[in-house]
Amino acid sequence: MAAAVAIAAVLLDAIFGEPRRAHPLVAFGRWAGWIERGLHADSRSRGLIAWSLAVLPWVGLAWLLDGLAAQVSGWLSAVFSASLLYAAIGLRSLGDHARPVAAALDTGDIEGARAAVGRIVSRDTAALSSERVAAAATESVLENGNDAVFGALLWFLLLGAPGVVLYRLANTLDAMWGYRTPRLHRFGCAAARIDDALNLLPARLTAATYALCGHGASAWRCWRRQAPAWDSPNAGPVMAAGAGALRVRLGGAAPYHGRWEERPLLGEGAAADAGSIRRALALVRNGVAVWLVASLLLAFVSEAARHA
């Protein structure tokens, strides 16, 4: 049943994309902002309490509603779970945001490309060359392939509706409270650490998926050699393996808040361009197809073993 629900959610995402109105994550962002304003202090323990109040009630509600739906009908439980997973994944959204960058680069519209990539990355884009714009968009696709697609799928397959709610809300809070500013350095520590913990397995499975669906030898080599130098323990494997799978050069210096920050180099091969953005999108889509087929096969094998 879980595999079928995952397929249904991916199909819903392909057909409808992200909800245009009343997106649950937008509402959650307002909820989390209200909690932060009320509880903020330069304290790790206060941040953990705030994280718990922001996330755990919704995880509990998902568990309760899923249980009630299952008591009524297996189909109702499946519809409920598919709706939650659909709201959590963003496979189509990756393309909706990245393709305009590639299209602008194709026509030489560097200003349009900078504006488009500025909507999906946090770095300063005004001074980026066309290669740096393409690299930023490619990196975003690879990293968000884990955060917005594979991670949500994995936690759903492991723990059902409560699992996907836990993962997606924790990921959202990391983006909001992660300790990247003096104000949130201690308060956001719990949000960052919990997101790191929840992504330990998904990130490595995502990296392995990129290796399987791309240039495998290059992906494994870059993952092994380059990922340890990256600041994030989870983004490093994902982006290094993804860059290697695409045989493209990513990473390197990038401008943030008015100054250039040195970052390790990722990948190998050609410089990033519009084609690397599209190939990154294809890599994620192909990986999702592999996951869905594998989950179906595992379900069939489990069912056959149960009746053997």
Side-chain angles (χ1 to χ4, degrees):
M1 180 66 79
V5 169
I7 292 171
V10 170
L11 288 175
L12 286 172
D13 177 72
I15 295 169
F16 299 109
E18 286 187 333
R20 300 296 182 185
R21 297 179 180 177
H23 196 299
L25 291 179
V26 174
F28 174 74
R30 297 193 184 101
W31 164 255
W34 178 76
I35 288 176
E36 180 197 340
R37 288 190 294 274
L39 290 179
H40 179 271
D42 188 26
S43 164
R44 289 186 174 90
S45 60
R46 188 73 71 90
L48 178 59
I49 293 170
W51 185 95
S52 300
L53 291 174
V55 174
L56 295 184
W58 304 111
V59 176
L61 182 62
W63 174 80
L64 177 63
L65 293 178
D66 187 46
L68 292 174
Q71 290 181 4
V72 175
S73 164
W75 284 105
L76 182 60
S77 176
V79 169
F80 175 72
S81 295
S83 300
L84 283 182
L85 183 55
Y86 157 61
I89 61 176
L91 179 58
R92 175 171 164 176
S93 178
L94 290 182
D96 290 345
H97 287 88
R99 286 193 192 93
V101 183
L105 290 174
D106 283 338
T107 61
D109 180 10
I110 185 61
E111 292 303 324
R114 288 169 176 161
V117 81
R119 290 189 279 271
I120 60 175
V121 299
S122 59
R123 71 197 68 176
D124 303 330
T125 61
L128 295 181
S129 65
S130 59
E131 178 185 338
R132 291 290 88 201
V133 167
T138 304
E139 291 172 16
S140 178
V141 170
L142 294 173
E143 186 171 9
N144 283 295
N146 176 73
D147 293 347
V149 183
F150 294 112
L153 283 172
L154 178 66
W155 280 105
F156 172 75
L157 293 171
L158 290 176
L159 296 178
V164 74
V165 171
L166 171 65
Y167 174 78
R168 203 66 183 96
L169 297 189
N171 187 253
T172 302
L173 272 193
D174 176 55
M176 295 178 65
W177 295 355
Y179 48 92
R180 299 173 181 86
T181 65
R183 181 176 184 275
L184 294 171
H185 181 76
R186 293 172 64 86
F187 181 81
C189 183
R193 296 303 187 198
I194 292 170
D195 182 69
D196 283 346
L198 291 175
N199 267 306
L200 280 173
L201 181 57
R204 282 143 189 86
L205 289 177
T206 299
T209 301
Y210 289 162
L212 178 65
C213 296
H215 293 273
S218 177
W220 290 110
R221 181 167 54 250
C222 293
W223 180 356
R224 185 177 67 254
R225 296 177 180 176
Q226 299 170 345
W230 203 256
D231 285 344
S232 168
N234 297 319
V238 168
M239 293 171 62
L246 297 172
R247 297 297 303 273
V248 67
R249 299 195 304 271
L250 302 176
Y256 293 93
H257 310 297
R259 64 186 183 88
W260 285 80
E261 295 184 6
E262 291 298 325
R263 305 180 307 160
L265 296 175
L266 297 172
E268 58 188 23
D273 58 14
S276 68
I277 301 172
R278 296 189 177 95
R279 289 189 291 113
L281 290 169
L283 186 68
V284 175
R285 288 195 304 269
N286 292 342
V288 169
V290 168
W291 276 44
L292 295 180
V293 170
S295 64
L296 272 180
L297 290 175
L298 288 173
F300 284 136
V301 169
S302 176
E303 188 69 14
R306 192 168 66 88
H307 288 92

